[in-house]
């Protein structure tokens, strides 16, 4: 991870500070369903306002694809931000560049917040258009990135502005970068990586990168089926990418070369039809029938994993171990979460998890706060874990 500038080291008083946040929250009928992402950036906004900066907040919201789309207006989020900021005044302009925006920024007092309209109403945002970046940058004298979850994208508001203005990481961004560096980059060994989820094809880079870093890789979820198939087992009607047989064998081979042990399910939960509360059975991976669908990891595997995990100091986990949206096929994921949480609680394990579905699976267990560190950054977390350089982080390096 490159060294990066931090907000606490920057002078902000009487400065126009542009803050890139990710307040891309889910809406239902215009109501905010989950305001986690808004709450997460409040400390940065509050700090800036309390230190008498003019706080210019920019974000994308949904995928309007370069068109003005009223259902994706940032205006819908202004009320919530105002509630959370209390006595700090929050203003809104229905554009993000141009004379109108300039005038409102000029008229705003230091110590107040101005939220600009959805960046992605302009197609120039995702195209990283230099002129669009210049216009955004002209509103401020300092740029703060507090959107780690967008930092794998080389967009105007992520890499364009910091190429023009002095830049630093906001508190949320700083916490993500420090969390990943402390717990994973400088991980205590041995490290166990658990990779689940639906498909091997979406996690090839991840598996290859982890096989060089971890001492054990546990393959679970639908992906495990492809591994079992590649090793000659019958997987019935389970989700499986048969065309990836050779690729999968290569992953197994390269892990071997790296002295990385690959752990596959020993027993599995099978059903005939993937549905809520579907009838199911626990069988050995050698006894899967032609009409079976593998939907979860079995109890013997979980018991073996529990033993294994005690020999590791760090756990990094991405991807549910079963089709957790269909109960009771959440049991494997939940059992493993419980064990990881207990070991973490006893200070025997550093546990890190992230990924869209992983976070929602862990949320539903109620154990999420027991983990050492949870990254809510989704794709950016995965790309970081894959060993890729994130352009938005590079742009803040000193
Ligand atoms: P993340 O978003 O955390 O990176 P993924 O998107 O890779 O995770 O995978 C999550 C999906 O994998 C879930 O929708 C889950 O239902 C699915 N899944 C897990 N195990 C199985 C399985 N055995 N068969 C089919 N789908 C599965
Ligand atoms: Mg997902």
């Amino acid at each position: 991870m490159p060294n990066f500038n931090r907000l606490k080291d920057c002078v902000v008083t009487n400065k126009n500070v542009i803050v890139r946040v990710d307040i891309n929250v889910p809406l239902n009928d215009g109501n905010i369903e989950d305001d986690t992402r808004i709450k997460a950036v409040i400390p940065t906004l509050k700090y800036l306002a309390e230190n008498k900066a003019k706080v210019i907040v920019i974000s994308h919201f949904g995928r309007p694809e370069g068109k003005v789309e009223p259902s994706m207006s940032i205006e819908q989020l202004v009320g919530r931000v105002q509630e959370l900021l209390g006595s700090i005044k929050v203003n809104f302009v229905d554009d993000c560049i141009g004379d109108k925006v300039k005038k409102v920024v000029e008229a705003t007092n230091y110590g107040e917040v101005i939220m600009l309209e959805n960046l992605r109403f302009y197609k120039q945002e995702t195209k990283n258009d230099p002129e669009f970046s210049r216009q955004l940058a002209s509103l401020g004298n300092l740029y703060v990135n507090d959107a780690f979850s967008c930092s794998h994208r080389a967009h105007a508001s992520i890499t364009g502005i910091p190429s023009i203005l002095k830049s630093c990481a906001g508190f949320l961004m700083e916490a993500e970068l420090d969390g990943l560096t402390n717990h994973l980059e400088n991980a205590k060994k041995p490290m166990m990586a658990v990779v689940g989820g639906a498909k091997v094809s979406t996690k090839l880079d991840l598996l290859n990168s982890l096989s060089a870093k971890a001492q054990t890789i546990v393959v679970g979820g639908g992906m495990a089926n492809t591994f079992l198939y590649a090793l000659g087992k019958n997987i019935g009607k389970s989700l499986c990418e048969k065309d990836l047989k050779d690729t999968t064998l290569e992953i197994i081979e390269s892990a071997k070369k790296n002295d990385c042990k690959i752990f596959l399910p020993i027993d599995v939960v099978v059903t005939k039809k993937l549905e809520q509360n579907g009838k199911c059975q626990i069988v050995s991976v050698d006894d899967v029938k032609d009409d079976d669908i593998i939907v979860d990891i079995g109890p013997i595997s979980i018991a073996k994993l529990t033993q294994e995990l005690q020999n590791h100091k760090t756990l990094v986990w991405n991807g549910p171990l079963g089709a957790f949206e269909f109960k009771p096929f959440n049991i494997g994921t939940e059992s493993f979460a419980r064990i990881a949480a207990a070991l973490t609680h006893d200070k025997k394990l550093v546990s890190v998890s992230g990924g869209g579905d992983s976070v929602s699976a862990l949320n539903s267990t109620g154990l999420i706060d027991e983990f050492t560190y949870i990254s809510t950054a989704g794709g950016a977390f995965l790309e970081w874990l894959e060993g890729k350089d994130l352009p938005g982080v590079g742009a803040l390096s000193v």
Side-chain angles (χ1 to χ4, degrees):
M1 186 82 75
N3 261 327
F4 56 91
N5 286 316
R6 292 166 192 257
L7 179 53
K8 277 270 161 75
D9 301 328
C10 297
V11 178
V12 302
T13 306
N14 292 338
K15 295 254 156 92
N16 289 11
V17 182
I18 301 173
V19 191
R20 172 57 153 108
V21 294
D22 176 4
I23 47 175
N24 193 19
V25 292
L27 280 190
N28 190 354
D29 252 351
N31 298 314
I32 298 170
E33 247 179 355
D34 176 357
D35 63 359
T36 310
R37 287 188 161 170
I38 298 182
K39 282 193 177 132
V41 295
I42 292 297
T44 296
L45 303 185
K46 211 172 193 165
Y47 171 86
L48 286 166
E50 283 171 352
N51 285 282
K52 297 289 171 245
K54 216 177 264 192
V55 192
I56 304 160
V57 179
I58 54 174
S59 182
H60 74 284
F61 186 32
R63 292 172 188 258
E65 305 197 339
K67 287 193 301 279
V68 175
E69 195 44 79
S71 67
M72 298 176 197
S73 171
I74 295 273
E75 192 169 15
Q76 304 168 93
L77 313 178
V78 176
R80 189 80 194 105
V81 175
Q82 179 65 78
E83 266 172 54
L84 291 164
L85 284 176
S87 60
I88 297 163
K89 186 167 181 231
V90 182
N91 309 278
F92 170 74
V93 206
D94 63 357
D95 207 338
C96 60
I97 51 166
D99 283 343
K100 190 185 347 175
V101 179
K102 278 216 153 129
K103 284 200 183 111
V104 175
V105 170
E106 265 162 37
T108 301
N109 297 314
Y110 289 102
E112 290 183 5
V113 172
I114 314 141
M115 295 180 71
L116 306 189
E117 187 52 288
N118 195 341
L119 293 162
R120 291 195 192 162
F121 283 179
Y122 289 88
K123 62 179 182 325
Q124 293 93 320
E125 159 65 358
T126 52
K127 295 206 161 124
N128 195 8
D129 178 75
E131 176 52 24
F132 183 66
S133 301
R134 199 195 56 73
Q135 291 200 49
L136 286 168
S138 72
L139 301 169
N141 355 73
L142 175 69
Y143 166 83
V144 178
N145 182 343
D146 218 16
F148 177 70
S149 52
C150 305
S151 295
H152 55 317
R153 310 266 187 235
H155 292 170
S157 67
I158 298 290
T159 53
I161 307 176
S163 72
I164 302 167
L165 289 185
K166 180 176 161 60
S167 312
C168 67
F171 298 143
L172 177 63
M173 175 85 163
E174 184 178 37
E176 282 271 10
L177 296 178
D178 286 344
L180 294 176
T181 306
N182 295 338
H183 302 311
L184 293 183
E185 200 162 281
N186 307 325
K188 289 188 205 154
K189 300 267 161 97
M191 172 156 100
M192 175 187 277
V194 175
V195 186
K199 291 177 168 181
V200 174
S201 53
T202 61
K203 307 232 164 143
L204 283 175
D205 289 340
L206 184 64
L207 288 164
N208 282 320
S209 159
L210 287 173
S211 80
K213 289 182 195 140
Q215 283 59 56
T216 307
I217 295 183
V218 178
V219 182
M223 309 188 20
N225 304 337
T226 303
F227 275 73
L228 293 170
Y229 170 80
L231 294 170
K233 306 243 187 254
N234 184 14
I235 45 101
K237 288 191 189 158
S238 309
L239 178 70
C240 176
E241 293 167 289
K242 296 191 171 165
D243 53 323
L244 285 185
K245 181 178 174 181
D246 291 342
T247 311
T248 302
L249 292 174
E250 280 164 27
I251 293 171
I252 294 173
E253 207 41 51
S254 90
K256 226 183 241 164
K257 277 195 202 123
N258 289 326
D259 265 335
C260 171
K261 200 156 82 183
I262 294 218
F263 181 100
L264 292 174
I266 304 159
D267 60 341
V268 286
V269 178
V270 294
T271 185
K272 305 288 181 201
K273 194 171 167 221
L274 184 56
E275 58 184 359
Q276 289 295 345
N277 302 308
K279 256 196 180 168
C280 61
Q281 216 187 337
I282 296 157
V283 298
S284 150
V285 289
D286 295 311
D287 296 328
V288 176
K289 306 261 184 344
D290 289 345
D291 59 347
D292 279 341
I293 306 171
I294 302 175
V295 284
D296 201 4
I297 190 164
I300 298 173
S301 312
I302 290 288
K304 186 83 194 349
L305 263 183
T306 306
Q307 259 176 17
E308 281 281 326
L309 188 56
Q310 324 238 357
N311 304 325
H312 293 76
K313 293 208 165 89
T314 302
L315 167 72
V316 54
W317 182 8
N318 167 256
L321 297 179
F324 74 98
E325 299 95 333
F326 302 87
K327 282 184 178 151
F329 313 138
N330 60 322
I331 288 179
T333 303
E334 193 162 330
S335 315
F336 188 66
R338 188 155 289 128
I339 292 146
L343 288 170
T344 308
H345 182 263
D346 293 345
K347 307 245 176 319
K348 291 181 180 145
L349 184 74
V350 169
S351 52
V352 180
S353 183
D357 293 292
S358 308
V359 172
S360 68
L362 278 178
N363 251 329
S364 67
T365 65
L367 294 163
I368 200 155
D369 293 335
E370 305 285 319
F371 277 65
T372 312
Y373 186 71
I374 299 284
S375 173
T376 51
F381 167 74
L382 280 177
E383 288 201 17
W384 183 85
L385 212 52
E386 286 164 3
K388 295 187 180 141
D389 289 330
L390 306 185
V393 179
L396 306 179
S397 65
V398 287

